[in-house]
Amino acid sequence: MNIKETGELIAQNWPFLIATIIVVSPIIWGLASLYYSGRIETLREQSNLLKEQRDFLERKVRAIETIKIEDPTKSYDQYSHIQEIESLSYPPISNPQKLSKNEIRKLANFYELTKSWKSNPHLKMKDGDIAYWFEQGLSENEIKLEFESRRIVLERADKSNQVIDTQGDLSYLAQKIQAEIVKKNNR
């Protein structure tokens, strides 16, 4: 069939073609939106997760200040030593495959898990929790994933005034976030 024959066929059957397009278009649109709605929702969740991570890091960077420590030998309004607040900078890790208790504590401080959360102060990480994570023998990347996901869950709970009853519930919610983080990192 050449172009001339195709043109004649369209000219003869144009009302039928228009009717077919009008009937088939909504069906195709419905199928496409059904197919892509899950993907769009996944992308929205990943976008929200990235925004939360960015906001956390921006807040950390903006919060880095210097505090002035007064030297008693100088006059009251002069300062001799300036020190950076330790908990705001990412802690150095000596062996990324096996963290010490102190390194885990510093990471927990960095991810703000040792602070009292407004809606969930009972989920503040304590010495027993630090010991638990030390005993797990996780690598730095695994601990970062665990702590970051818990921080995101606690931050979301604070924003929505949601109470999380136990550490187990926190762990369950964090696993959902971890799946999204891993999915995002594998793309």
Side-chain angles (χ1 to χ4, degrees), residues 103-133:
E103 290 170 335
I104 291 173
R105 179 176 285 105
K106 287 180 179 181
L107 279 174
N109 286 337
F110 178 80
Y111 286 103
E112 300 176 347
L113 297 176
T114 56
K115 79 174 194 175
S116 287
W117 293 86
K118 179 180 70 172
S119 298
N120 296 288
H122 58 285
L123 295 177
K124 173 182 177 179
M125 198 174 274
K126 299 175 181 119
D127 288 336
D129 300 312
I130 302 294
Y132 168 80
W133 287 109

Side-chain angles (χ1 to χ4, degrees), residues 90-101 103-105 107-108 111 130 132-148 150 178 182:
Y90 190 82
I93 305 295
S94 59
N95 180 2
Q97 298 307 313
K98 178 71 175 150
L99 279 67
S100 68
K101 273 188 184 179
E103 290 170 335
I104 291 173
R105 179 176 285 105
L107 279 174
Y111 286 103
I130 302 294
Y132 168 80
W133 287 109
F134 175 72
E135 291 168 3
Q136 298 306 303
L138 301 175
S139 70
E140 176 185 5
N141 287 335
E142 292 167 329
I143 290 283
K144 284 169 40 178
L145 181 63
E146 292 286 346
F147 286 5
E148 182 175 17
R150 280 165 172 72
Q178 289 170 19
V182 169

Side-chain angles (χ1 to χ4, degrees), residues 32-33 35-46:
S33 67
Y35 177 76
Y36 288 111
S37 66
R39 178 74 178 130
I40 289 169
E41 189 57 38
T42 300
L43 289 172
R44 273 195 194 110
E45 180 62 30
Q46 289 176 350

